[in-house]
Amino acid sequence: MRKTIKHNRTKHGTSSLFLALIMSALILVECTFVAFVWNLDYALSVNTALKTQIDTILSDYNRQLFDVYGIYAFTLDGVDDECFNKALEINGLNSRSVLYVSSASKFTTEDLKKAINSYYWYRGTGISAKSLVDGYSDFILELDEKGIFKKVGQFMNSPAAGYVSEIIGGSDSAEIWIARAGDLLNIEELIDEASEMDSIRTGYKSAVKDFEMNADFDISKWNALLDTMSGLEKAMDKVSDSSDIALSRLNVSHYSAYNFDCCFAPDGDASITGTKFSEIHGKKQSDAEYIITGKKGLPGVFQIEFMMIHVLISSNMLKDYADEKFRNTMEVLGEIISAIILAVSEGTVNIDPQLIAAGLTYYCAIVQSTKDFIQITKGKRVAIFSYDKVDMITFSYREFLYLFSFLTPVNDLLDRSHEVLTRDYGTLYKGIKLEAGFRGETYSVEKSYQLYE
């Protein structure tokens, strides 16, 4: 008979097995939960580190660029992951993620426009950008009221212009021309007037020679002067109101003229905030001239000089017309030259002496503008508009640049200013997007300066 061995079974063994099964499941759940919480904590730490890193990048904007030009921007040269890694280490975590820049928003000309308008929002009252426009508009109105351009234009279109050009620019003296009038004029009675004519002749020849740009101010240049003045008059009309568009145009024009280096710097010249341009790019640049004309180097400078001389000639004609003694002298000379022309043309050309006086005023204005031009190139100021011998409007080279900036479309001013800033400070960015990966998940943060939003 087989003997059966019986094991003692108790409830304790069954309970242990049950508890083991329960605990294994619980441990699995707990471990999963702990891993989830750890991963979540790490993910939160990564996001915090990303935000810290991106704030560090944005706060590391170029200080000089902001101080001088009012621009918040940075370059990618200094972007690293140092702050990102330290932010993780502070939380007791080792960096298991690689930080990289997935994209960056470049600083554009539209952003520059926003920066300029913001720049003048709190500087506008001190700069008074519109004062020059108002003053120049008064100057144009006075020219129109005096009818100066009309009289000179009539003279230039008359046959007398050629004769006066020969008298003023030729080699024969006033005495020879008076002698050609024969019995009409007596040289002995016109000694003082002949001396005045010779003085104009000498001054005119010297003036044309002294202009550094070797400009030829003969009759053919009269149309160029009218074109410059007409263009400026139209430009002034566009910014004479107080609309947002007009104010923005004033801001951009003033910014382009005063905040960039130029060829003939006025005394004590610097940026609007007082920063020397040599501190920005080391050597003198004709940046303002390029921004206004679109021509680099001497061609841009020459174009500014050419327009500047036109304004100086116009202003001197206006000042001369306001001088009664000068005006009377020109009228006397106009009568004499009219008689000379009548004689040498054998009676075929009979011109109103007042028109000839206007033409002589134009030539005298060229002479006087030479002195003003030289003063400006030396960093001085000159009177543009005077009343009762009181200088009402004075210009330095910067004011001329500001005036001529109105002839350039705003988008061109912005594009060229942006180009110059990129040359001096490198490629600029206004915002950035950072990413970091961990266990198949990608975490990202994107941010830019609020100024451009």
Side-chain angles (χ1 to χ4, degrees):
M1 182 175 201
R2 175 182 283 181
K3 184 177 179 180
T4 302
I5 300 175
K6 295 183 179 180
H7 297 281
N8 293 327
R9 295 178 179 178
T10 65
K11 294 180 180 180
H12 297 292
T14 303
S15 300
S16 297
L17 181 61
F18 176 75
L19 288 173
L21 292 173
I22 294 297
M23 289 303 294
S24 63
L26 182 61
I27 291 171
L28 178 63
V29 171
E30 287 294 328
C31 288
T32 302
F33 179 74
V34 169
F36 172 77
V37 171
W38 188 90
N39 286 340
L40 181 61
D41 181 64
Y42 189 87
L44 290 173
S45 297
V46 169
N47 273 319
T48 301
L50 283 172
K51 292 178 181 177
T52 304
Q53 180 69 61
I54 204 168
D55 286 340
T56 300
I57 293 172
L58 292 178
S59 64
D60 193 27
Y61 58 87
N62 190 299
R63 294 302 190 269
Q64 187 185 69
L65 185 64
F66 174 72
D67 292 339
V68 178
Y69 297 100
I71 295 171
Y72 283 108
F74 60 91
T75 62
L76 294 180
D77 298 338
V79 174
D80 55 36
D81 60 356
E82 181 180 359
C83 188
F84 176 77
N85 292 331
K86 285 186 176 179
L88 292 177
E89 292 174 5
I90 289 173
N91 292 320
L93 301 172
N94 294 324
S95 177
R96 300 182 182 180
S97 303
V98 177
L99 178 71
Y100 59 95
V101 178
S102 61
S103 64
S105 301
K106 284 188 175 182
F107 179 76
T108 66
T109 54
E110 187 61 30
D111 298 323
L112 176 59
K113 185 177 182 179
K114 292 178 180 178
I116 291 173
N117 286 330
S118 174
Y119 185 80
Y120 281 91
W121 183 77
Y122 59 89
R123 287 184 172 92
T125 54
I127 292 173
S128 300
K130 200 177 178 184
S131 59
L132 180 140
V133 176
D134 293 336
Y136 184 78
S137 297
D138 292 339
F139 165 64
I140 290 291
L141 287 173
E142 191 69 18
L143 281 171
D144 289 340
E145 289 179 3
K146 299 292 185 183
I148 295 174
F149 284 151
K150 181 180 179 181
K151 291 179 181 178
V152 179
Q154 289 175 339
F155 164 77
M156 288 297 182
N157 290 322
S158 72
Y163 288 101
V164 176
S165 180
E166 290 183 25
I167 293 172
I168 299 300
S171 58
D172 294 338
S173 66
E175 183 178 349
I176 294 175
W177 278 99
I178 292 173
R180 289 175 183 171
D183 297 334
L184 290 177
L185 296 172
N186 186 347
I187 184 62
E188 294 180 358
E189 297 177 355
L190 301 173
I191 294 177
D192 291 339
E193 287 76 7
S195 177
E196 289 282 357
M197 289 172 59
D198 283 333
S199 176
I200 295 173
R201 290 176 64 253
T202 303
Y204 173 76
K205 290 181 179 180
S206 177
V208 174
K209 182 180 179 180
D210 285 345
F211 278 127
E212 293 182 8
M213 60 185 293
N214 295 320
D216 177 15
F217 288 99
D218 205 344
I219 296 172
S220 61
K221 298 300 180 182
W222 173 251
N223 289 333
L225 187 151
L226 288 181
D227 290 341
T228 298
M229 302 305 293
S230 177
L232 285 169
E233 186 175 7
K234 292 177 182 177
M236 294 302 102
D237 288 340
K238 292 180 180 179
V239 294
S240 59
D241 59 25
S242 299
S243 66
D244 291 340
I245 295 176
L247 291 176
S248 180
R249 177 60 192 263
L250 285 165
N251 292 342
V252 173
S253 296
H254 192 279
Y255 189 88
S256 302
Y258 287 91
N259 237 19
F260 293 91
D261 204 356
C262 65
C263 184
F264 301 113
D267 294 341
D269 188 55
S271 71
I272 295 173
T273 58
T275 303
K276 297 290 184 181
F277 294 107
S278 58
E279 297 177 13
I280 298 174
H281 47 237
K283 61 180 181 179
K284 179 168 284 297
Q285 301 278 357
S286 53
D287 291 333
E289 291 88 348
Y290 165 65
I291 292 171
I292 294 169
T293 66
K295 299 177 182 178
K296 293 184 178 180
L298 288 178
V301 175
F302 287 159
Q303 183 169 331
I304 292 295
E305 287 180 345
F306 193 64
M307 293 188 293
M308 184 169 65
I309 292 166
H310 285 167
V311 175
L312 289 172
I313 291 173
S314 300
S315 68
N316 278 302
M317 283 195 291
L318 181 58
K319 286 185 286 186
D320 289 340
Y321 261 82
D323 187 332
E324 185 177 359
K325 181 180 178 180
F326 178 90
R327 191 169 62 249
N328 291 336
T329 300
M330 292 302 106
E331 289 176 357
V332 171
L333 293 181
E335 292 177 358
I336 295 171
I337 293 177
S338 177
I340 293 174
I341 294 173
L342 183 65
V344 299
S345 67
E346 298 180 350
T348 60
V349 180
N350 186 12
I351 303 298
D352 185 350
Q354 288 191 348
L355 296 184
I356 296 177
L360 290 173
T361 302
Y362 169 61
Y363 286 108
C364 288
I366 293 174
V367 176
Q368 295 163 337
S369 298
T370 309
K371 300 175 183 178
D372 292 339
F373 176 79
I374 293 173
Q375 285 293 99
I376 290 171
T377 58
K378 291 181 178 180
K380 307 299 181 181
R381 302 184 71 88
V382 297
I384 296 298
F385 180 43
S386 301
Y387 187 77
D388 285 343
K389 297 183 179 181
V390 177
D391 295 339
M392 306 295 290
I393 305 173
T394 62
F395 276 16
S396 71
Y397 189 65
R398 285 290 182 189
E399 274 77 46
F400 279 105
L401 292 175
Y402 180 33
L403 181 66
F404 300 144
S405 66
F406 292 111
L407 295 174
T408 307
V410 171
N411 289 337
D412 289 343
L413 293 176
L414 291 170
D415 288 341
R416 295 164 192 162
S417 298
H418 186 275
E419 180 184 339
V420 172
L421 291 170
T422 301
R423 181 202 68 197
D424 287 338
Y425 295 97
T427 302
L428 301 173
Y429 296 87
K430 63 177 179 179
I432 193 170
K433 183 178 181 180
L434 300 178
E435 292 187 356
F438 176 70
R439 292 187 177 181
E441 293 290 334
T442 300
Y443 305 95
S444 65
V445 174
E446 185 174 8
K447 196 172 184 180
S448 64
Y449 297 112
Q450 189 175 1
L451 173 64
Y452 310 117
E453 294 177 354

